[in-house]
């Protein structure tokens, strides 16, 4: 996983040096069920992220996302909840396929690496996970509003290490669906509001500029 993080960092540095065609600031809040063997626990994640992207002449967009994470994994009858502070780096590809004057099909593929530390003074636990996501949506634009219903598949492979050993986990339900509202305030700037449910439930608000 650390080698993957190194590769992702190199990709992000390359994008940062290039002339970007898009930048976004996102605030997100999501809940999901993580499966630790036969036990399922709720993970609540808040994040603040910065995205930089570059679009090719073909319309394919490649981007990178750096985020700060604050998360809590719920406990059960025998264990208490655990809080972590962490970071995330992600690379993604997005492609739009126009279907007419107002409609378009959008595909998104991303890979991310996340790491964090328990926010206590002694005997801290460490958490890390890789995440692969694929998403497809159909958008419709009417004046300054674009609406995009979507469905997504997410695979998580992670572990938590601490004084009690190492525990591995995965996402209990990999499928999610929802809708995104893009409200254009300028021809190249919009506010994106995303709501979703399923394996990952919650939403985000983004402030986006794309040229």
């Amino acid at each position: 996983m650390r080698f993957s993080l190194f590769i992702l960092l190199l990709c992000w540095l390359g994008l940062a040096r290039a002339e970007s065609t898009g930048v976004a600031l996102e605030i997100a809040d999501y809940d999901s069920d993580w499966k630790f063997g036969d036990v399922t626990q709720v993970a609540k994640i808040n994040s603040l992220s910065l995205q930089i992207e570059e679009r090719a002449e073909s319309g394919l967009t490649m981007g990178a996302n750096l985020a700060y994470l604050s998360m809590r994994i719920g406990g059960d009858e025998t264990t208490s909840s655990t809080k972590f502070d962490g970071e995330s780096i992600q690379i993604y590809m997005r492609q739009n396929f126009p279907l007419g004057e107002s409609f378009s099909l959008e595909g998104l593929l991303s890979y991310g690496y996340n790491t964090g530390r328990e926010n206590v003074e002694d005997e801290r636990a460490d958490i890390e996970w890789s995440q692969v996501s694929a998403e497809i949506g159909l958008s419709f634009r009417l004046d300054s509003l674009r609406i995009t219903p979507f469905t997504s598949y997410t695979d998580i492979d992670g572990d938590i290490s601490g004084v009690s050993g190492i525990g591995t986990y995965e996402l209990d339900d990999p499928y999610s669906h929802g809708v995104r509202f893009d409200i254009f305030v300028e021809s190249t700037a919009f506010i994106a509001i995303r709501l979703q449910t399923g394996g990952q439930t919650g939403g985000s608000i983004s402030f986006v500029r794309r040229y």
Side-chain angles (χ1 to χ4, degrees), residues 99-130:
L99 302 177
E101 189 172 323
S102 300
F103 289 91
S104 66
L105 188 68
E106 180 179 292
L108 179 70
L109 181 65
S110 67
Y111 174 82
Y113 175 80
N114 310 266
T115 183
R117 295 152 304 281
E118 189 177 5
N119 56 1
V120 295
E121 292 297 328
D122 301 317
E123 299 180 343
R124 291 187 179 187
D126 295 317
I127 187 171
E128 61 180 13
W129 73 94
S130 61

Side-chain angles (χ1 to χ4, degrees), residues 48-167:
L48 175 64
S49 63
L50 175 66
Q51 300 173 2
I52 300 175
E53 59 185 38
E54 182 77 13
R55 187 176 62 253
E57 291 184 2
S58 64
L60 177 67
T61 297
M62 296 189 65
N65 178 57
L66 286 178
Y68 166 77
L69 308 175
S70 176
M71 62 181 300
R72 180 171 64 87
I73 299 177
D76 53 29
E77 294 82 0
T78 59
T79 60
S80 58
S81 61
T82 310
K83 295 181 179 180
F84 295 89
D85 294 322
E87 302 83 32
S88 170
I89 183 169
Q90 179 189 75
I91 56 174
Y92 60 89
M93 295 185 297
R94 187 181 66 252
Q95 179 75 57
N96 288 336
F97 303 93
L99 302 177
E101 189 172 323
S102 300
F103 289 91
S104 66
L105 188 68
E106 180 179 292
L108 179 70
L109 181 65
S110 67
Y111 174 82
Y113 175 80
N114 310 266
T115 183
R117 295 152 304 281
E118 189 177 5
N119 56 1
V120 295
E121 292 297 328
D122 301 317
E123 299 180 343
R124 291 187 179 187
D126 295 317
I127 187 171
E128 61 180 13
W129 73 94
S130 61
Q131 178 173 319
V132 178
S133 298
E135 180 178 301
I136 188 167
L138 179 64
S139 68
F140 169 73
R141 181 164 179 178
L142 180 63
D143 295 329
S144 60
L145 177 64
R146 182 169 59 201
I147 303 174
T148 308
F150 64 86
T151 184
S152 64
Y153 174 88
T154 302
D155 179 71
I156 286 179
D157 178 21
D159 61 68
I160 297 178
S161 59
V163 293
S164 58
I166 298 177

Side-chain angles (χ1 to χ4, degrees), residues 158-197:
D159 61 68
I160 297 178
S161 59
V163 293
S164 58
I166 298 177
T168 61
Y169 58 88
E170 59 184 7
L171 198 61
D172 185 49
D173 180 4
Y175 296 97
S176 301
H177 57 274
V179 62
R180 190 184 72 238
F181 302 93
D182 298 332
I183 305 168
F184 285 81
V185 294
E186 297 179 14
S187 60
T188 60
F190 61 91
I191 300 171
I193 300 173
R194 178 185 174 103
L195 303 172
Q196 73 179 55
T197 187

